[in-house]
């Protein structure tokens, strides 16, 4: 029983970044922009959060810096792809490479190590866990839902709010039209570029939150390659969920569960095999993609159709 | 005969050709300048004069025989992975899984290098290369079939398969094939499986000629055969190529398999010529598969461009290592320049925005004249 409760609690902890990146990325995908730079955006904000908190000694400056940097990166992405007509995948690859090397070079230049920056002096990850007064008395929920980070509770709100925005507001309709038929949207008078920009801003904010959750809240330190392909995993979650925020969130939860399963099972197997468990999340994604896409491919009467994107 | 005619003497067709050439030249030079200025900013942050850094890299990488051999040695696998990516990029497929295929090719050829005993060198070397190519191709078959049969987006699957490849090979090396040393590595390959070095002190091996042969063959296939033409067609108009009967599904799988096989050979030569054993970190910062991928997208899938960029990347790789020990500059600084280059190359500033920029400047000068 204890194991299951632990697993559920870990699932919630692990799903938070997935959920955030997914629910923001859905907007970008719906607006017809294939954005693979979410990975880099998350990495950059995780780095900026820790770096600025470490340099100034104040956590809120780190948080602000992370959000600003994420916005800056998505502005660059917007400028290069939508405004200057660069290839989406090329620009995304460039940003991802940048996210892999700029933190490393800055860390080596400033602190002499290229692998990590530990800021546990300023940020105590144990204090980041919130103890909610009413929730900590309910028998089942107190083990699972209580003692999570602030972002966890925020995520529920953000996901709900963004789903509502997508389906119940004018802006949501504009986003969907922009993605489905750009020329029609332009003809009706929707400023498609502006819609795409706003979607990228939403994605930047959620990516920044995800990065902050990874580095500042969960560990209090930054290590190179911290986002660990989360951007791509969320891309596949969006893909599986057919770009609908609700469904995509469910897939994000599944991937979060698998990641939690890997961490929990790790404690019960010999050390030699535990490194092999690292493939579990990645293998799951490929299998899930296969299960989701195979029936659709069969129904498709065209001999070859360009796929989801 | 005059070499350079004045613009007024040219025919309209020649003029068009000249402006197109100028704008394509501008598309290469302006991104280079911008990327190196971004690199300079980071170089200043790392408290190193950018001009010292660049001249140091050029001096180390090109201006001596040893340096040149090292540069070519570092460029060898990048040429192969670059041309391996070229097929998929030409066909509009974003095969990012070259790195994983390099890992599998390298791993299997390292095993074949010491497990198969008693063969003469001229059989053992091709056998190892073949095994590397075979396993690279098999590994590339997974995303290929998923893409062709089930239309699953290849970006996601290939990135996931990269992570799986590094984890699995690392796990096997550590748990079953390790030699009990402090760091995990397989046994050294036999003398019969090793590629000869051109000069014992430097990195360049006979693998460079293998790379040249592969490059030439694939160049020919891309430019001069029916298959190469069809690959280009698939990239431009997928539905149309399928409708006229090009068997796009088969072609997609074949493109993936060719890429995987060459990536496998690239990994194998890296083991057989340079490392002699498989270590999980043999391809890092950012990995030879990734470097080939970047070279390919910078060149836009053009084989000659890939060759040039591969050699430049080889020089940067060697120069960065030399600069780290010589000037104390972080290794990753070079990757910053690379990433900025990719970003600025993507937008083709001159050919797409050239007119607006020109008009802007003309208007600016006109206004100034009015003010005067």
């Amino acid at each position: 029983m204890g194991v299951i409760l632990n697993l559920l609690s870990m699932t919630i902890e692990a799903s938070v970044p997935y959920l955030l990146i997914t629910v923001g990325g859905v907007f970008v995908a719906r607006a017809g922009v294939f954005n693979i730079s979410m990975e880099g955006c998350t990495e950059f904000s995780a780095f900026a959060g820790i770096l600025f908190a470490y340099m100034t000694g104040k956590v809120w400056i780190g948080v602000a810096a992370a959000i600003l940097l994420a916005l800056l990166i998505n502005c660059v992405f917007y400028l290069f792809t939508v405004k200057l007509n660069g290839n989406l995948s090329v620009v995304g690859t460039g940003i991802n490479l940048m996210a892999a090397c700029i933190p490393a070079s800055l860390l080596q230049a400033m602190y002499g190590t290229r692998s990590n920056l530990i800021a546990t002096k300023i940020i105590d990850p144990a204090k980041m866990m919130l103890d909610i007064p009413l929730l900590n008395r309910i028998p089942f929920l107190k083990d699972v839902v209580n003692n999570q980070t602030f972002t966890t509770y925020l995520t529920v709100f953000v996901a709900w709010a963004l789903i509502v925005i997508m389906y119940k507001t004018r802006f949501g309709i504009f986003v969907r039209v922009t993605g489905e038929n750009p020329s029609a949207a332009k003809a009706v008078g929707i400023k498609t570029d502006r819609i795409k920009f706003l979607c990228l801003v939403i994605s930047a904010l959620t990516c920044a939150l995800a990065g902050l959750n990874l580095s500042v809240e969960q560990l209090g330190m930054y290590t190179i390659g911290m986002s660990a392909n989360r951007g791509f995993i969320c891309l596949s979650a969006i893909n599986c969920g057919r770009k609908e925020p609700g469904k995509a969130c469910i897939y994000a939860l599944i991937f979060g569960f698998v990641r939690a399963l890997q961490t929990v099972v790790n404690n019960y197997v010999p050390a030699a095999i535990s490194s092999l468990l690292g493939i579990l999340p990645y293998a799951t994604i490929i299998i899930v993609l296969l299960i989701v896409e195979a029936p659709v491919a069969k129904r498709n009467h065209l001999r070859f159709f360009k796929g989801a994107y | 005969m005059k070499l350079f005619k004045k613009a007024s003497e040219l025919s309209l067709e020649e003029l068009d050709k000249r402006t197109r050439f100028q704008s394509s030249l501008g598309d290469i030079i302006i991104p280079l300048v911008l990327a190196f200025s971004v690199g300079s900013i980071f170089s200043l942050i790392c408290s190193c004069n950018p001009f010292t850094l660049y001249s140091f890299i050029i001096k180390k990488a090109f201006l001596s025989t040893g340096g040149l051999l090292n540069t070519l040695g570092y460029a060898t696998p990048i040429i192969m992975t670059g041309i391996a990516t070229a097929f998929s990029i030409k066909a509009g497929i974003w095969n990012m899984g070259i790195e994983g295929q390099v890992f599998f090719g390298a791993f299997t050829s390292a095993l074949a290098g010491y497990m198969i005993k008693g063969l003469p060198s001229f059989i053992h070397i091709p056998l190892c290369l073949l095994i590397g190519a075979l396993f690279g191709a098999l590994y590339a078959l997974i995303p290929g079939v998923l893409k062709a049969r089930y239309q699953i987006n290849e970006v996601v699957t290939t990135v996931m398969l990269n992570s799986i490849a590094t984890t699995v090979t690392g796990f096997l090396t550590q748990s079953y094939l390790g030699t009990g040393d402090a760091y995990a590595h397989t046994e050294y390959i036999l003398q019969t499986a090793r590629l000869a070095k051109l000069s014992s002190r430097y990195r360049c091996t006979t693998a460079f000629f293998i790379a040249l042969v592969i490059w030439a063959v694939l160049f020919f296939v891309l430019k001069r055969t029916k298959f190469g033409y069809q690959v280009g067609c698939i990239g431009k108009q997928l539905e149309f190529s399928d409708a006229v009967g090009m068997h796009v599904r088969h072609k997609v799988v074949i493109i993936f398999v060719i890429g995987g096989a060459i990536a496998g050979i690239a990994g194998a030569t890296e083991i057989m010529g340079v490392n002699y054993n498989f270590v999980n970190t043999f391809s890092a910062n950012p990995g030879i598969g990734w470097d080939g991928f970047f070279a390919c997208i910078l060149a836009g899938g053009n084989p000659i461009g890939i060759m040039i960029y591969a050699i430049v990347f080889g020089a940067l790789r060697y120069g960065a290592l030399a600069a780290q020990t010589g000037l104390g500059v972080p290794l990753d600084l070079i990757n910053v320049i690379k990433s900025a280059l990719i970003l600025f190359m993507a937008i083709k500033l001159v050919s797409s925005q050239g007119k607006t920029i020109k008009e802007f400047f003309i208007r600016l000068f006109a206004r100034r004249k009015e003010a005067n």
Side-chain angles (χ1 to χ4, degrees):
Chain A
M1 194 63 200
V3 178
I4 294 170
L5 285 179
N6 187 20
L7 182 63
L8 285 175
S9 163
M10 292 279 279
T11 305
I12 289 174
E13 194 184 319
S15 314
V16 168
Y18 290 119
L19 272 175
L20 279 169
I21 303 172
T22 306
V23 84
V26 161
F27 273 81
V28 184
R30 259 294 164 88
V33 181
F34 181 55
N35 181 8
I36 59 172
S37 73
M38 292 188 292
E39 168 82 11
C41 198
T42 313
E43 179 88 25
F44 263 124
S45 41
F47 173 63
I50 287 291
L51 180 74
F52 282 91
Y54 187 79
M55 270 169 34
T56 56
K58 291 186 183 67
V59 179
W60 68 268
I61 293 182
V63 172
I67 290 172
L68 282 179
L69 191 65
L71 282 174
L72 178 75
I73 284 163
N74 274 17
C75 283
V76 168
F77 187 82
Y78 169 76
L79 183 73
F80 276 47
T81 57
V82 180
K83 279 286 164 198
L84 297 173
N85 286 325
N87 185 314
L88 292 165
S89 302
V90 176
V91 175
T93 312
I95 288 175
N96 283 347
L97 178 60
M98 229 172 220
C101 57
I102 286 181
S105 58
L106 284 184
L107 281 183
Q108 195 171 0
M110 291 159 80
Y111 302 106
T113 61
R114 74 173 288 275
S115 56
N116 55 21
L117 180 64
I118 300 166
T120 36
K121 268 184 202 164
I122 297 141
I123 304 155
D124 187 11
K127 274 184 193 161
M128 287 287 174
M129 306 296 174
L130 297 184
D131 194 27
I132 294 173
L134 249 167
L135 213 58
N136 59 10
R137 302 227 189 103
I138 306 166
F140 175 71
L141 291 180
K142 79 174 181 206
D143 294 323
V144 179
V145 187
N146 200 18
N147 274 336
Q148 300 281 2
T149 56
F150 172 67
T151 316
T152 313
Y153 305 112
L154 190 65
T155 303
V156 180
F157 173 73
V158 167
W160 172 76
L162 286 180
I163 291 173
V164 168
I165 287 176
M166 178 68 100
Y167 287 114
K168 303 280 180 202
T169 63
R170 267 167 78 88
F171 174 71
I173 295 169
F174 285 178
V175 169
R176 283 180 282 159
V177 172
T178 306
E180 271 158 33
N181 199 337
S183 40
K186 262 182 202 159
V188 186
I190 299 171
K191 294 196 171 80
T192 48
D193 283 6
R194 191 178 290 170
I195 297 287
K196 282 177 184 169
F197 179 72
L198 287 174
C199 288
L200 280 168
V201 165
I202 290 172
S203 168
L205 292 177
T206 54
C207 283
L209 279 178
L212 286 170
N213 178 261
L214 280 174
S215 68
V216 174
E217 286 191 323
Q218 287 187 5
L219 292 172
M221 62 183 274
Y222 170 78
T223 47
I224 291 289
M226 194 158 204
S227 68
N229 286 336
R230 279 187 176 81
F232 290 103
I233 292 171
C234 293
L235 209 58
S236 64
I238 294 167
N239 228 341
C240 290
R242 304 252 163 269
K243 301 187 202 169
E244 283 178 29
K247 280 187 198 168
C249 282
I250 291 168
Y251 284 103
L253 278 173
I254 292 172
F255 298 150
F257 171 75
V258 176
R259 168 98 33 182
L261 191 69
Q262 179 210 338
T263 336
V264 171
V265 173
N266 236 342
N267 301 330
Y268 299 97
V269 294
I273 301 172
S274 71
S275 69
L276 188 65
L277 278 176
I279 71 165
L280 198 63
Y282 305 119
T284 317
I285 285 153
I286 292 177
I287 292 166
V288 167
L289 272 172
L290 188 64
I291 293 169
V292 173
E293 299 276 347
V296 181
K298 222 171 226 176
R299 255 190 281 128
N300 198 346
H301 288 295
L302 276 174
R303 281 198 298 170
F304 195 100
F305 193 66
K306 231 180 180 171
Y309 285 95
Chain B
M1 202 186 88
K2 268 196 274 181
L3 268 177
F4 297 103
K5 290 182 191 169
K6 272 183 196 167
S8 54
E9 293 168 11
L10 291 168
S11 70
L12 213 63
E13 202 174 304
E14 280 175 311
L15 198 70
D16 186 42
K17 212 179 236 175
R18 182 182 269 195
T19 45
R20 213 186 296 157
F21 176 72
Q22 277 171 352
S23 65
S24 69
L25 201 69
D27 276 339
I28 295 174
I29 290 170
I30 289 177
L32 273 176
V33 172
L34 287 174
F36 275 92
S37 24
V38 170
S40 308
I41 295 168
F42 277 92
S43 157
L44 286 175
I45 291 173
C46 300
S47 60
C48 171
N49 186 351
F51 294 105
T52 328
L53 176 67
Y54 298 148
S55 62
F56 186 81
I57 289 175
I58 290 170
K59 202 176 81 186
K60 277 280 174 190
F62 288 118
L63 297 183
S64 68
T65 325
L68 207 59
L69 281 177
N70 271 338
T71 298
L72 290 182
Y74 279 105
T76 305
I78 303 174
I79 294 171
M80 287 191 257
T81 50
I83 200 84
T85 324
F87 272 85
S88 47
I89 293 293
K90 277 271 176 194
I93 299 167
W94 286 86
N95 179 7
M96 296 191 172
I98 298 290
E99 182 72 16
Q101 291 142 22
V102 164
F103 262 81
F104 260 90
F107 181 68
T108 47
S109 71
L111 294 190
Y114 76 88
M115 281 182 172
I116 302 170
K117 293 191 178 82
L119 287 178
S121 183
F122 65 90
I123 299 176
H124 202 174
I125 289 175
L127 186 70
C128 285
L129 288 177
L130 216 67
I131 287 174
L134 181 73
F135 276 87
L138 279 180
Y139 201 59
L141 206 60
I142 303 172
V145 168
L146 288 179
K147 167 88 180 164
R149 184 111 188 78
Y150 302 109
Q151 294 143 31
I152 295 175
N153 189 299
E154 71 282 3
V155 172
V156 174
T157 48
T158 48
V159 169
M160 299 297 132
L161 285 170
N162 281 348
S163 304
I164 291 177
T166 44
T167 318
V168 167
T169 50
F171 160 73
L172 288 175
T173 319
Q174 202 170 24
S175 304
Y176 294 110
L177 304 159
T179 47
D181 284 1
Y183 72 102
H185 66 93
T186 60
E187 279 176 46
Y188 283 93
I189 59 172
L190 301 175
Q191 283 294 340
T192 49
R194 295 186 186 187
L195 291 169
K197 286 197 168 184
L198 294 187
S199 166
S200 60
R201 281 173 56 215
Y202 304 112
R203 201 179 167 98
C204 194
T205 59
T206 42
F208 182 64
F209 301 110
I210 299 175
L212 279 186
V213 169
I214 288 174
W215 178 81
V217 168
L218 290 189
F219 190 2
F220 179 76
V221 170
L222 258 181
K223 292 277 172 189
R224 289 275 174 270
T225 62
K226 196 176 146 196
F227 178 67
Y229 174 72
Q230 287 177 337
V231 166
C233 285
I234 291 170
K236 283 195 187 98
Q237 265 293 341
L238 192 132
E239 281 94 347
F240 178 75
S241 337
D242 198 39
V244 296
M246 282 188 189
H247 300 287
V248 172
R249 277 190 177 172
H250 297 213
K251 292 285 165 4
V252 168
V253 175
I254 291 171
I255 287 162
F256 267 100
V257 165
I258 289 177
I262 297 163
I265 293 177
T269 55
E270 195 69 0
I271 296 297
M272 290 155 65
V274 183
N275 281 45
Y276 301 134
N277 64 355
F278 181 84
V279 195
N280 206 17
T281 53
F282 84 101
S283 153
N285 274 358
I288 52 179
W290 284 115
D291 258 349
F293 181 76
F294 299 143
C296 184
I297 59 175
L298 281 177
N302 179 3
I304 296 173
I306 288 170
M307 182 60 115
I308 295 168
Y309 277 114
I311 290 172
V312 169
F313 278 10
L316 284 177
R317 215 164 232 262
Y318 173 58
L321 277 175
Q324 193 178 29
T325 47
L327 300 174
V329 177
L331 203 61
D332 302 271
L333 194 62
I334 293 306
N335 291 336
V336 177
I337 299 174
K338 260 184 225 168
S339 58
L341 195 59
I342 292 169
L343 275 184
F344 290 118
M345 277 289 184
I347 52 177
K348 298 199 175 53
L349 210 58
V350 179
S351 48
S352 68
Q353 307 292 325
K355 245 180 199 169
T356 37
I357 293 170
K358 214 184 234 174
E359 277 169 12
F360 172 76
F361 275 107
I362 288 169
R363 226 177 287 155
L364 200 75
F365 283 119
R367 214 172 277 168
R368 259 202 205 148
K369 265 181 196 168
E370 274 173 28
N372 286 344

